[in-house]
Amino acid sequence: MKYDRILIRYGELSTKGRNRKKFVDQLHKSVKMALVPFPFAKIEVKRERMYVLLNGENEKEIARALKNIFGIQSFSPAIKLEKDIDTMKEAALKLVSSIYQEGKTFKITAKRVDKTFSLDTGEINSLFGGHLLKNIPGIKVDVRNPDINLLIEIREEAVYLSCETIQGAQGLPSGTSGKAMLMLSGGLDSPVAGYLSMKRGLELEGVHFFSPPFTSERAKQKVIDISKKLANRNGHFVLHIVPFTEIQQLIHKQIPENYTMTATRRLMLRITDEIRKRQEALAIVTGESLGQVASQTLESMYAINDVTNTPILRPLIAVDKTEIIKIAREIDTHDISIRPYEDCCTVFVPSSPKTKPKKEKVQFYESFVDFEPMIKEAVSKVETIIIKQGEKMDAEKTEESLF
């Protein structure tokens, strides 16, 4: 028996009270974007649930698309029925029979939202369990660890049957917490920081610093490939690629070597903040984890943060490297991040970077150079790439598309 829809559960969104509609509307937009490759699928939005009507589309392919969407607690391929017991019994038997194999066990899980329905949950479990035992030879009950769990949900408008619950990405729908800029390198940390930020409802745009010929096109492609993975989470991802060669060369010419890393991070943050203003974002996200490397000590963060009053979000601040690697594998960015193509931060790293830089010292060193015209020029030459899930990339120069 074929499923005719997918039932989506909201999870955390159900606790949002008066703001609930805003969150559900945004989830609807995310689901709609993910279903663009499935033109016959339709979406029904209700207060407690969302439904994807399959209309002949491939249920498993749609399930794969839904699995990545933040804001979905779980979902189930389902059949919609009228509240007629004989019809329900016949459908339940066909559904379980279609997936039953010799030796498998089952249980019934009933949920009666419509309290006017003639049977309570215990009676539903008993009636339908007995019906399956009587009509499927060899099937046995296992209430603790069944192979097949038949879900029978009695709602006001209809009855829904399902034998599978698929875990969603959870979190909050994209954009419900505002927009931020993600400082995106080609390493392990920043994609994970981006993923965790998106999970809390942030719409992200990436900013990557590119220093040819010191960094290669393959290093740039790494970041584009990582961006594709992030795009799969909310349907699209905007990546801003900043030409950084001249600024980086000037830093290494004018700033003492042990302070070049601090100065470089400060300049990157200033440029990202300028892009943030033009994109009307409210915060900057970084992949910093406290104490991992020289630029991530508390003293370094203090000296680097001095250049902006914009909130800096650090989702990985208390996460160790083992946990970061684990999440990177789960979100499928790990193998891309470990490709042996270095970004500008690793290519230009000094032999002995200052681990406890003084804000006053780096301010003093920078005071001999007017970086402002170079910052404006770098921002004006940003290349913007719009990456859409399941579509080819559309690359445009920033002057034409954004600024």
Side-chain angles (χ1 to χ4, degrees), residues 13 78 120 159 162 277 340 352:
L13 307 194
D120 62 25
V159 173
S162 176
K277 293 174 187 176
S352 299

Side-chain angles (χ1 to χ4, degrees), residues 93 96-97 100-107 129-142 147-148:
L93 179 58
V96 174
S97 296
Y100 173 70
Q101 294 177 352
E102 186 176 352
K104 283 192 172 184
T105 59
F106 84 103
K107 68 177 284 191
H131 185 63
L132 297 182
L133 287 168
K134 180 179 178 181
N135 290 281
I136 303 178
I139 197 168
K140 294 181 180 179
V141 174
D142 184 346
D147 299 305
I148 300 169

Side-chain angles (χ1 to χ4, degrees), residues 261-318:
M261 179 175 289
T262 305
T264 298
R265 299 286 185 177
R266 284 165 59 93
L267 267 294
M268 286 179 168
L269 194 54
R270 287 173 65 181
I271 292 170
T272 301
D273 207 27
E274 288 301 313
I275 299 172
R276 174 199 65 80
K277 293 174 187 176
R278 300 194 186 196
Q279 295 302 100
E280 299 182 340
L282 300 176
I284 296 171
V285 177
T286 77
E288 294 164 314
S289 179
L290 190 61
Q292 279 197 8
V293 294
S295 66
Q296 298 183 24
T297 63
L298 197 57
E299 292 85 355
S300 287
M301 291 181 190
Y302 176 73
I304 294 166
N305 273 28
D306 171 60
V307 300
T308 182
N309 292 321
T310 299
I312 309 297
L313 308 182
R314 297 180 173 91
L316 306 183
I317 194 67

Side-chain angles (χ1 to χ4, degrees), residues 32 86 89 174 176 187 317:
K32 187 175 181 180
D86 288 337
K89 287 169 67 176
S174 173
T176 53
I317 194 67

Side-chain angles (χ1 to χ4, degrees), residues 43-60:
I43 304 170
E44 282 186 0
V45 181
K46 298 189 180 291
R47 177 174 171 77
E48 301 293 337
R49 295 282 187 269
M50 189 179 295
Y51 302 93
V52 176
L53 310 184
L54 297 174
N55 293 325
E57 295 284 6
N58 188 294
E59 160 228 324
K60 295 189 182 299

